[in-house]
Amino acid sequence: MNATSKEVVEDPNARLEQDDHMRGMEHAKMTVEGITRPFASVARVVARIDPSDPAPWRLPNLALRLQVETPAGQRPVTRIYTVRSYDEASGLIEIDFVIHEDKSPAMDWLARAQPGTVIGYTGPRPHFVPAWESGRKVAIFADETAIPAVYSILQSWQAGIEGVAYIETADRAAFDELPAVEGVSLNLLLRGADEAPGTTGRLVAAAKAIPDPAGWTVWVSGERQETRAIRRHFSETCELPREDVRATGYWRRGVSSSEVDRMRLRHYEEVISQGGGLREFEDLDVQI
Ligand SMILES: Cc1cc2nc3c(=O)[nH]c(=O)nc-3n(C[C@H](O)[C@H](O)[C@H](O)COP(=O)(O)OP(=O)(O)OC[C@H]3O[C@@H](n4cnc5c(N)ncnc54)[C@H](O)[C@@H]3O)c2cc1C
């Protein structure tokens, strides 16, 4: 057993390679062009892609599964990151890595990465955007890991829809970089330097303070437990329909994403055994 193998997620039935899971995604490689630190909390990786079809890359809020480790003879260790932006003319994408303190596969990759580094990915996977088609006001709740997703969503905001976004981060500059959009009020929930991410409950409190919740459609991403609490508030307490509570857990405090992925795969296998597929898979139903 080598040092990385505990992070490898086995897929004995090759479920992740089947069409139901792949849904038009491709396995490909990108090359790092540069890494900057636009502000203290983020390393911004600019990478060159060469997609067989650029069309799927034009959608907002795309995610990639990056192969941050490739242990010999085993499946790669992967981590999910958002495409903050895609410039079709240059073939460049931006990915913002939030720097966190724990030693981890993604932070280790980042420490090794430099211009010329080649990394495999699976993607792009279109993730939730707000249910603009409902015509209702949009409420967004996000921590710093979802700022790139919010950035992408704001860039393609549907004109005429009102919105409010609550963003928790300890880095004011990361919030300040979000673009202003007419009709959308952006609110910073500034975490103190002595407060750990995923623990303050401020996003949950902001969600509970939304007046007349029935008039809103909701988009939430961040630490799983906080995201789940916000989903519960809107889905169960306020009884918003499932379509109007679009929530994704991006990371789980104290738990590696490999463990979350293992549980996800187990849940996906159960959904398949009941005749379902990815469409029936609800990430926050995975009990971790
Ligand atoms: C759809 C989707 C899109 C995402 N987009 C982005 C993105 O654009 N940018 C981004 O930075 N992240 C993003 N994430 C979250 C990212 O995948 C996780 O933070 C992931 O855990 C990082 O992997 P790691 O190897 O660093 O840590 P892991 O090995 O997964 O975890 C090791 C330890 O670090 C802790 N940890 C992990 N992330 C954080 C964090 N942010 N703050 C504090 N502690 C943490 C864990 O709780 C654990 O204790 C996204 C996740 C999803 C599902």
Side-chain angles (χ1 to χ4, degrees), residues 7 63 79-82 95-98 100 102-107 127 144-145 148 197 248-258 264:
E7 299 288 351
R79 291 295 184 261
I80 305 175
Y81 281 85
T82 302
I95 300 176
D96 277 5
F97 286 70
V98 171
H100 64 84
D102 296 5
K103 182 170 165 49
S104 73
M107 294 299 104
H127 268 257
E144 61 262 53
T145 61
T248 312
Y250 274 17
W251 62 287
R252 170 71 161 92
R253 189 167 165 70
V255 179
S256 118
S257 287
S258 297
R264 281 188 176 120

Side-chain angles (χ1 to χ4, degrees), residues 29-240:
K29 291 188 188 323
M30 60 191 190
T31 306
V32 173
E33 292 269 321
I35 304 178
T36 57
R37 292 291 292 270
F39 22 81
S41 64
V42 161
R44 180 163 295 160
V45 172
V46 175
R48 182 171 300 285
I49 57 168
D50 184 18
S52 54
D53 176 10
W57 292 83
R58 296 182 195 130
L59 295 173
N61 194 18
L62 298 171
L64 301 178
R65 197 170 263 282
L66 303 177
Q67 298 180 359
V68 291
E69 285 179 27
T70 47
Q74 298 183 73
R75 284 172 50 75
V77 174
T78 61
R79 291 295 184 261
I80 305 175
Y81 281 85
T82 302
V83 179
R84 177 179 186 269
S85 71
Y86 167 52
D87 178 28
E88 192 169 337
S90 63
L92 296 178
I93 61 169
E94 289 177 315
I95 300 176
D96 277 5
F97 286 70
V98 171
I99 309 288
H100 64 84
E101 288 173 358
D102 296 5
K103 182 170 165 49
S104 73
M107 294 299 104
D108 286 350
W109 178 83
L110 197 55
R112 294 190 306 270
Q114 53 184 315
T117 297
V118 175
I119 179 168
Y121 68 82
T122 305
R125 167 91 77 202
H127 268 257
F128 286 141
V129 294
W132 284 305
E133 66 282 4
S134 69
R136 282 200 285 280
K137 292 179 287 186
V138 173
I140 288 179
F141 305 90
D143 75 8
E144 61 262 53
T145 61
I147 289 179
V150 174
Y151 178 88
S152 171
I153 286 168
L154 289 171
Q155 300 281 7
S156 55
W157 194 264
Q158 190 158 314
I161 299 286
E162 279 178 55
V164 61
Y166 291 92
I167 312 289
E168 181 179 313
T169 169
D171 190 347
R172 182 184 293 276
F175 170 83
D176 287 344
E177 216 193 16
L178 287 171
V181 173
E182 198 180 334
V184 183
S185 121
L186 300 178
N187 301 274
L188 169 63
L189 304 178
L190 189 63
R191 205 172 51 239
D194 55 340
E195 294 177 294
T199 63
T200 71
R202 283 195 193 104
L203 286 167
V204 181
K208 291 184 174 171
I210 290 281
D212 185 20
W216 296 80
T217 188
V218 178
W219 186 97
V220 196
S221 291
E223 199 280 330
R224 282 182 81 81
Q225 296 294 77
E226 295 210 325
T227 302
R228 191 177 273 128
I230 295 172
R231 182 179 78 144
R232 196 179 307 122
H233 169 69
F234 286 110
S235 296
E236 296 176 18
T237 312
C238 307
E239 298 184 339
L240 289 193

